[in-house]
Amino acid sequence: MRLLHFADLHLDTPFKWAKPQHAHQRRRALRTTLETICRLAEERQVDALTCAGDLYEHDRFTPDTAKFLRDTFSALAPRNLSRCLSPVGVKRLPFRSPVRPVWVG
């Protein structure tokens, strides 16, 4: 079995130290990183993509982030690639969190 694992991406990090425009660019770069990870999973023909830790910032989660995650992970569906999401602090997950610790796929 071939795995591709990543952790602690922290989508929607505020980057409070940066000017607003730079912070926005950094947040966009984090999304691009996830897209690159998914592309790499396809290119390397892994059997499973695993994510542990903070995929996104719970306090800053928006519907746009949820849509981005759905769209990005759904793009892997045609290959029937397993995805395992195991966020940190499962007991702390907000009720409306778009991510639950679960195997998807």
Side-chain angles (χ1 to χ4, degrees), residues 12-28:
D12 294 337
T13 295
F15 295 109
K16 292 178 183 177
W17 53 267
K19 293 180 181 177
Q21 180 183 7
H22 189 238
H24 176 75
Q25 290 171 343
R26 297 289 301 245
R27 285 190 295 276
R28 180 65 203 130

Side-chain angles (χ1 to χ4, degrees), residues 39-91:
R39 212 170 19 259
L40 182 62
E42 290 178 337
E43 290 171 7
R44 298 293 172 102
Q45 298 180 340
V46 300
D47 299 305
L49 175 62
T50 62
C51 171
D54 294 312
L55 179 57
Y56 62 93
E57 294 295 315
H58 299 288
D59 296 340
R60 294 182 47 86
F61 154 75
T62 65
D64 180 62
T65 302
K67 181 181 182 327
F68 169 74
L69 291 172
R70 274 192 309 274
D71 293 349
T72 302
F73 289 131
S74 292
L76 298 172
R79 263 205 65 235
N80 206 18
L81 175 71
S82 294
R83 283 128 9 232
C84 177
L85 306 175
S86 180
V88 163
V90 171
K91 293 179 182 177

